[in-house]
Amino acid sequence: MNLEKMMETYKRENSVTPREEKILETIQKSKNVIMDVQSENMMSYTEFFFSQFQLIRKRWWVLQATLLVFILLIMPFMGDSIYMMRTLGIASVFFVVMIIPEVWRNKESNSRQIEVTCLFSLRQIYSARIFLIGMVDAFMITIFLTVVCISMKMQFTDLLVQFLFPMIITAGICFAMLNCSLLNEAISILGCFLWGIIWWGIVMNNAIYERIAMPIWIILFVLAVCFLIGAVYKTIHDCNRFLEVNLYGITNG
């Protein structure tokens, strides 16, 4: 009994009353220590881009390059066929569709809940991946168009209409659908193919196609580029909206 009384007396005399300001001060100091440790080991933007490049699956770029090489190989055998030139639009749709699995990968695998805990923000991760994919695709397309213009003696304006215009529209559709939480990868691919069918119908109909003058095509191309830029910006800007819990710990409605 004496021991129990001594323990109770000890508890009363040595009881600690928590003070909210001290708790908050401890939390802030802990945060500062964590940030100091992280800043010592923080990777540079170059290392960050390189790490994102390593995470991108290269097989989709290989498939895109294979498609462009295949087109280059069959074009000489088709001559100056107008149908061959307009079939470039369908090839451009396939070119974009091949990269959709990589663009949609983190959404389909629900990896954004993990990525948002990284040192770099989810927007930075999205921006880096889209930039890297765009740079590699732009490099391949530049080489492809240069070879076609030289070897086939095609005008760049023809390629702008036949290949670049439908490709940019397809990419815009892909990113616009990526920004919708109710759609998935398969629906995005289906939407791109539906656009390809519509484009095929337009270019194969001479009554419609030949009435569109080159200045109008250029205006439409500029509008398509604006549409793509807007879709990419909205995807990056709203990427946190798809998280089950946002950055402030509040459940999304």
Side-chain angles (χ1 to χ4, degrees):
M1 295 294 293
N2 292 334
L3 180 60
E4 293 180 357
K5 289 182 180 181
M6 291 176 62
M7 292 181 64
E8 291 178 359
T9 302
Y10 178 80
K11 290 180 180 179
R12 286 195 301 268
E13 293 177 353
N14 295 276
S15 61
V16 178
T17 302
R19 297 170 58 185
E20 183 178 358
E21 64 274 10
K22 293 298 182 180
I23 294 175
L24 295 176
E25 182 180 349
T26 303
I27 293 173
Q28 186 59 46
K29 288 182 178 180
S30 300
K31 289 182 178 179
N32 293 337
V33 171
I34 293 174
M35 292 301 298
D36 290 340
V37 173
Q38 287 182 339
S39 62
E40 294 177 358
N41 302 312
M42 185 181 299
M43 65 170 59
S44 64
Y45 281 105
T46 303
E47 294 172 330
F48 169 65
F49 269 98
F50 183 72
S51 67
Q52 292 300 314
F53 179 81
Q54 289 180 309
L55 290 174
I56 296 175
R57 293 173 294 188
K58 313 303 185 296
R59 63 173 176 263
W60 304 114
W61 282 332
V62 173
L63 288 175
Q64 286 182 314
T66 302
L67 174 65
L68 296 180
V69 171
F70 176 74
I71 295 173
L72 289 174
L73 291 177
I74 66 172
M75 286 183 69
F77 298 99
M78 301 184 70
D80 296 329
S81 171
I82 189 171
Y83 295 104
M84 180 275 295
M85 295 178 60
R86 296 176 184 179
T87 303
L88 286 173
I90 305 302
S92 70
V93 173
F94 278 99
F95 182 84
V96 175
V97 167
M98 286 179 178
I99 205 64
I100 286 180
E102 187 61 35
V103 175
W104 283 66
R105 182 168 58 144
N106 58 347
K107 181 179 179 181
E108 291 297 310
S109 61
N110 294 321
S111 63
R112 287 168 298 180
Q113 302 294 339
I114 299 175
E115 291 172 334
V116 77
T117 63
C118 299
L119 183 61
F120 291 91
S121 69
L122 192 60
R123 289 178 182 173
Q124 289 174 314
I125 294 174
Y126 260 70
S127 300
R129 290 180 180 172
I130 292 174
F131 175 78
L132 290 170
I133 291 173
M135 288 294 293
V136 174
D137 282 356
F139 176 74
M140 288 191 290
I141 292 171
T142 300
I143 295 178
F144 171 75
L145 296 180
T146 302
V147 173
V148 171
C149 287
I150 295 175
S151 62
M152 300 297 297
K153 294 182 173 54
M154 291 182 61
Q155 297 293 326
F156 178 76
T157 52
D158 293 331
L159 291 173
L160 182 147
V161 173
Q162 306 292 348
F163 187 84
L164 290 178
F165 176 74
M167 183 194 69
I168 290 176
I169 292 291
T170 305
I173 292 173
C174 169
F175 284 105
M177 289 187 170
L178 177 62
N179 195 48
C180 181
S181 58
L182 300 177
L183 302 179
N184 57 25
E185 178 183 347
I187 297 178
S188 175
I189 294 175
L190 178 61
C192 292
F193 278 125
L194 287 176
W195 157 246
I197 294 172
I198 293 173
W199 174 252
W200 176 271
I202 293 174
V203 297
M204 297 305 289
N205 189 328
N206 290 330
I208 298 176
Y209 181 81
E210 293 180 353
R211 290 183 179 181
I212 304 178
M214 184 53 62
I216 297 179
W217 279 120
I218 294 176
I219 294 174
L220 292 175
F221 179 80
V222 172
L223 293 176
V225 172
C226 293
F227 168 62
L228 176 58
I229 293 174
V232 172
Y233 172 80
K234 189 169 180 60
T235 298
I236 296 173
H237 184 268
D238 296 343
C239 60
N240 290 322
R241 181 168 58 88
F242 299 110
L243 298 176
E244 294 177 1
V245 177
N246 64 23
L247 296 179
Y248 301 99
I250 303 173
T251 302
N252 291 338

